[in-house]
Amino acid sequence: MEEEDRVKFLHTADWHIGKKLAGYDLLEDQKAVLKQIIEIAKNEEVDAIVIAGDIYDRSVPSEESVRLVNQTIAQINLTEKFPLLVISGNHDSKTRLATGAPWFSRSDYFLHTRLEEAFTPIVIKDTAFFLLPYFEPVDARIYFDDPDIRTIQQAMPRVLEKMKDHFLQNQRHVLVSHFFVAGSMKTDSETKLEVGGLDGINGQLLKDFDYVALGHLHGKNALNLPNARYSGSPIKYSLSEKNQEKGVWIVETAEETTFQFISVSPFRDVRELQAEFSQLLDPGFYRQQNREDYLSILLEDRQVIPNMMNQLRQIYPRILQVERINGREGNRRKSWKAQEIKRKSPIDLIHEFYRAINDESVTVHQQKWIEETMHDLMKKGGDLR
Amino acid sequence: MEEEDRVKFLHTADWHIGKKLAGYDLLEDQKAVLKQIIEIAKNEEVDAIVIAGDIYDRSVPSEESVRLVNQTIAQINLTEKFPLLVISGNHDSKTRLATGAPWFSRSDYFLHTRLEEAFTPIVIKDTAFFLLPYFEPVDARIYFDDPDIRTIQQAMPRVLEKMKDHFLQNQRHVLVSHFFVAGSMKTDSETKLEVGGLDGINGQLLKDFDYVALGHLHGKNALNLPNARYSGSPIKYSLSEKNQEKGVWIVETAEETTFQFISVSPFRDVRELQAEFSQLLDPGFYRQQNREDYLSILLEDRQVIPNMMNQLRQIYPRILQVERINGREGNRRKSWKAQEIKRKSPIDLIHEFYRAINDESVTVHQQKWIEETMHDLMKKGGDLR
């Protein structure tokens, strides 16, 4: 096989366009990182871009999400003219995602959303790509007309066996798929998709492929088989991913397939920030910070801080959470017994709850409103004590 | 101009895929009629199919609706190879509908969803088609950079003027559009889209086109200009359309443009059925009927009929409404005064309401349930009388 016949492709997955982080819209972040992915593909002069499922975060994505995906895919395939190999993931609606698919293959954009499409390989240079979309056991049951297929673990050997019947002589074989491989490491931002209580697919089943381009798990190191990788999501989609390097794999087929990870930089990072409250509010400190990041604040203080969240948000607009790493002064509430709570009046309980959450007491105005509301609620009887 | 240069096209609109009628799913009906439209196009050997907006009934259509539209459009354009000229209507989400559009034109499928796309004509044989999607005044305000455009009536002359700048010598000119033309006749199933309280576009504005293929109104006779037609919806979408002939226009450009209406047959009709109750339940009668139709039943009886709806539905599964054309025996309820209602107990009011709606009395079991529920509701006070 001549060197110029070898295929070089970019492997990405789990874009989850439309996903929010603690309520914050990530479309700008997603747009910025997709732009970098296109730049990487151009710099590396790849022969194709592979997207291994979960383009969208929801089966019914927002209009803004549809617009971003449509623009990005058109740029990749029509403007930059990269061949594009795409499968649907468990987050995508296969029906909605498939809109336009029969027209796409004319410009070497192959979008597979149904199991039956997985067995016709797409050949680029020396490599045959099998695009296996996410599927449910029932899809395999119908496809193989076998009522005994009840789990993905039962279905997958049948699927892969049939794929091997379509292997081509003197070609490399790449599988593009979206599922959980046994032994992989998960984070908080993937949706559980194991079926039947079993723990994913045995990696041994994948051994006949030169490379398996996986989607579903969000860390690039979730799996370490010699011939298979998760690309991971190109963005940190949960705090548990704060230390993950995000990016794409550049894969080259050869006698031995090689793969190299190329990082992308977040538009706004997801990270922890540890400090005292006074420090966080000190311009000398916060001017050194990228205040636009998505922050988990690890607060060193123990005392009650009035109006804490509002003050912090003035400076740090995207706070994911605030954690008191040294505990809180006078914080004995956790040890309350049911008997103690029963002895308290509803109004006292409201006061203590408010203090616990907001780190300050109710105002005179709030106090008046609470008393009036409780009075109205209980005027047919009851005891405010 | 030679005869073989003349274009012949099929004009349809307002498919409203996903629309329901009185809660009944119409997908089967829609599927059947779309099949007929394709047959007509084949029999007439048209050069193109025009769809003048409102492909879908909702901006977020169901998966089943997306599947039907995707299959139908692929069959028209890829299997049967008809050029396809489509605009978005006020019911479509232009962003969602536009998915795949940049790929479609390679197979002569032109889908325009944005105002700025309206000024580049699509030329087929002797005719230049201008595809003007439904737009809002704000779209024109931005496009023409003119803050004074506040209504469609202000926008349309500007749009049409600009189109005429792009008219081609020695060509016929067809406008495909989706709006309300002043003087047209409406039915109950269109959504009001007039803006600014004005009554649509002056038909005079359209005079320079050889034909205007309109969508929005559901009756083919809604407008009678010499050079413009609504195709109407291919299905009766409200009872007020019960006597409308449904179908498509076959248009041929020539010295004088000609257009001919070709009917489609409903899978299930929307119609009225007048009879006495006993007749409706008589096999000799109902075996002569197409019982699967969507029926407005005009009941000749005046007396109370116990369990009427349940009995009718056993035989006629798709009843839209039952109307008593001779009034109802002892029906004095409409003359009740507020004072009389106040004198009645809640339980009596429930009984009378039930009788008015169901034409029968509550059962002993229902009576017990009503009394218990009322008792629970009013146990803190009140008076059941």
Side-chain angles (χ1 to χ4, degrees), chain B residues 87-289:
Chain B
I87 57 168
S88 45
N90 55 310
H91 278 250
D92 301 305
S93 154
K94 45 181 71 185
T95 302
R96 294 180 199 279
L97 194 68
T99 299
W103 284 263
F104 295 156
S105 54
R106 292 172 185 224
S107 60
D108 289 332
Y109 168 16
F110 300 93
L111 167 58
H112 288 189
T113 57
R114 290 171 294 125
L115 176 56
E116 55 266 40
E117 296 174 303
F119 307 103
T120 311
I122 312 299
V123 177
I124 301 177
K125 289 188 169 177
D126 70 347
T127 300
F129 291 85
F130 290 84
L131 311 185
L132 173 63
Y134 171 75
F135 63 95
E136 300 279 352
V138 64
D139 300 321
R141 200 148 68 233
I142 292 167
Y143 182 74
F144 290 107
D145 192 18
D146 180 350
D148 291 337
I149 298 179
R150 307 214 153 269
T151 66
I152 285 293
Q153 287 70 28
Q154 291 166 335
M156 201 58 87
R158 298 284 294 273
V159 168
L160 298 177
E161 220 34 67
K162 174 150 186 180
M163 259 178 205
K164 285 175 204 164
D165 293 343
H166 292 78
F167 270 22
L168 302 170
Q169 267 201 324
N170 299 320
Q171 289 278 321
R172 314 277 166 200
H173 296 96
V174 169
L175 172 65
V176 179
S177 193
H178 189 96
F179 58 85
F180 180 60
V181 179
S184 311
M185 288 174 305
K186 295 185 256 183
T187 66
D188 290 346
S189 68
E190 302 109 3
T191 305
K192 230 175 122 60
L193 60 61
E194 296 91 296
V195 176
L198 294 181
D199 242 354
I201 303 303
N202 186 338
Q204 269 300 98
L205 284 172
L206 308 173
K207 66 179 170 23
D208 294 322
F209 290 94
D210 293 278
Y211 183 73
V212 182
L214 286 163
H216 185 51
L217 298 187
H218 289 183
K220 75 173 175 73
N221 299 322
L223 177 73
N224 272 306
L225 290 175
N227 67 330
R229 284 291 180 278
Y230 286 99
S231 68
S233 57
I235 282 187
K236 296 175 183 175
Y237 282 130
S238 86
L239 199 52
S240 71
E241 294 166 39
K242 61 181 185 290
N243 295 323
Q244 287 183 359
E245 185 186 7
K246 296 296 191 181
V248 299
W249 290 106
I250 301 293
V251 185
E252 280 186 86
T253 57
E255 205 60 52
E256 291 285 301
T257 303
T258 61
F259 31 94
Q260 177 203 356
F261 196 77
I262 300 190
S263 300
V264 294
S265 317
F267 183 58
R268 306 181 189 99
D269 205 359
V270 174
R271 64 186 176 94
E272 286 177 340
L273 178 58
Q274 178 174 337
E276 287 189 1
F277 187 74
S278 58
Q279 209 178 357
L280 288 165
L281 265 60
D282 174 8
F285 177 85
Y286 67 67
R287 282 191 191 130
Q288 307 296 317
Q289 295 293 325

Side-chain angles (χ1 to χ4, degrees), chain A residues 59-63 66-67 70 73-74 77-78 81 93-96 98-100 102-104 106-107 109 380, chain B residues 59-63 66-67 70 73-74 77-78 81 93-96 98-100 102-104 106-107 109 380:
Chain A
S59 63
V60 185
S62 68
E63 283 206 345
V66 172
R67 192 176 297 121
N70 285 355
I73 296 289
N77 184 244
L78 296 178
K81 300 200 187 309
S93 154
K94 44 181 74 184
T95 301
R96 293 179 200 279
T99 298
W103 284 262
F104 295 156
R106 291 172 187 225
S107 59
Y109 168 17
K380 284 185 201 276
Chain B
S59 63
V60 185
S62 69
E63 282 206 346
V66 172
R67 191 176 297 120
N70 285 354
I73 295 289
N77 184 244
L78 296 178
K81 302 201 187 306
S93 154
K94 45 181 71 185
T95 302
R96 294 180 199 279
T99 299
W103 284 263
F104 295 156
R106 292 172 185 224
S107 60
Y109 168 16
K380 285 186 200 278

Side-chain angles (χ1 to χ4, degrees), chain B residues 17-37:
Chain B
I17 303 304
K19 190 174 178 68
K20 290 172 193 283
L21 185 58
Y24 299 109
D25 194 301
L26 298 173
L27 273 174
E28 257 189 301
D29 306 77
Q30 293 172 325
K31 200 171 185 169
V33 93
L34 293 180
K35 209 175 144 189
Q36 290 178 56
I37 290 175

